[in-house]
Amino acid sequence: MERTLILVKPDGVQRNLMGEIIGRFERRGLKLIGMKFMQMTVELAEQHYAVHKERPFFNDLVAYITSGPIVAMVWEGNDAINAARATIGATKPVDASPGTIRGDFGMEIGRNLVHGSDSPENGVKEASLFFSEDELVSWNRDLDPWIVE
Ligand code: IDP
Ligand code: MG
């Protein structure tokens, strides 16, 4: 079972797309195990995006992700990483397929609405950066036999 950290970035919140974006993961069949509405600090943003520290866009990225509140979530499932990234679409919204979140709602790479972890290891690591283990909920979903074989 994989975990992925999903963020509705500040543009998603400001554009009233929270429900729309969350609904896509929910309808896909991923299982929500943690959620919070929060303001990221610069410290957390720098930790979360540490791999991009040397990139020219790093400062803009930190400014963007801390520019307003976000929704942080952990979703669980078999192949949760790939499923979530397919639902999110390509990093550059103009290259993202219609039907994906970025392909349906985005225009620019610096306003691409949503974050999803890129590997199972990073899913676990990023989830623990935003959530303590006791903030994650283990629960039985009655629909599971209709979603998971
Ligand atoms: P991802 O979000 O699809 O995993 P990454 O390459 O991990 O994409 O980049 C992290 C975030 O950094 C992107 O979602 C985007 O917000 C921002 N970003 C990536 N490349 C650029 C760029 O060339 N210019 C501005 N922002 C960028
Ligand atoms: Mg990434």
Side-chain angles (χ1 to χ4, degrees):
M1 193 65 78
E2 289 177 5
R3 281 179 181 180
T4 180
L5 177 82
I6 301 293
L7 306 177
V8 179
K9 295 179 177 182
D11 47 338
V13 173
Q14 296 286 352
R15 291 176 57 194
N16 289 338
L17 291 171
M18 278 185 285
E20 172 69 45
I21 290 170
I22 295 163
R24 289 178 177 223
F25 297 102
E26 189 181 30
R27 293 196 299 269
R28 182 85 197 249
L30 288 160
K31 185 174 165 188
L32 185 70
I33 60 166
M35 176 186 256
K36 56 175 94 162
F37 183 65
M38 62 181 281
Q39 170 70 48
M40 274 175 80
T41 61
V42 169
E43 291 75 14
L44 178 59
E46 286 178 350
Q47 271 180 288
H48 174 65
Y49 282 127
V51 292
H52 298 301
K53 207 170 170 54
E54 305 307 326
R55 307 277 198 98
F57 58 82
F58 182 72
N59 289 341
D60 288 345
L61 178 56
V62 170
Y64 164 46
I65 204 72
T66 60
S67 63
I70 60 151
V71 184
M73 296 167 278
V74 181
W75 292 84
E76 202 175 67
N78 297 326
D79 287 319
I81 298 289
N82 286 337
R85 284 186 73 88
T87 291
I88 291 167
T91 305
K92 220 175 149 182
V94 289
D95 295 337
S97 304
T100 65
I101 296 166
R102 288 167 173 167
D104 286 350
F105 302 113
M107 288 295 287
E108 295 195 7
I109 197 164
R111 297 288 183 271
N112 65 1
L113 296 146
V114 54
H115 168 83
S117 307
D118 64 5
S119 70
E121 301 71 46
N122 284 337
V124 171
K125 214 163 92 183
E126 292 178 358
S128 68
L129 198 55
F130 284 76
F131 293 87
S132 60
E133 204 54 41
D134 66 2
E135 289 176 313
L136 299 177
V137 180
S138 170
W139 59 292
N140 291 317
R141 186 172 55 182
D142 292 345
L143 271 177
D144 263 354
W146 299 105
I147 298 169
V148 183
E149 220 180 323

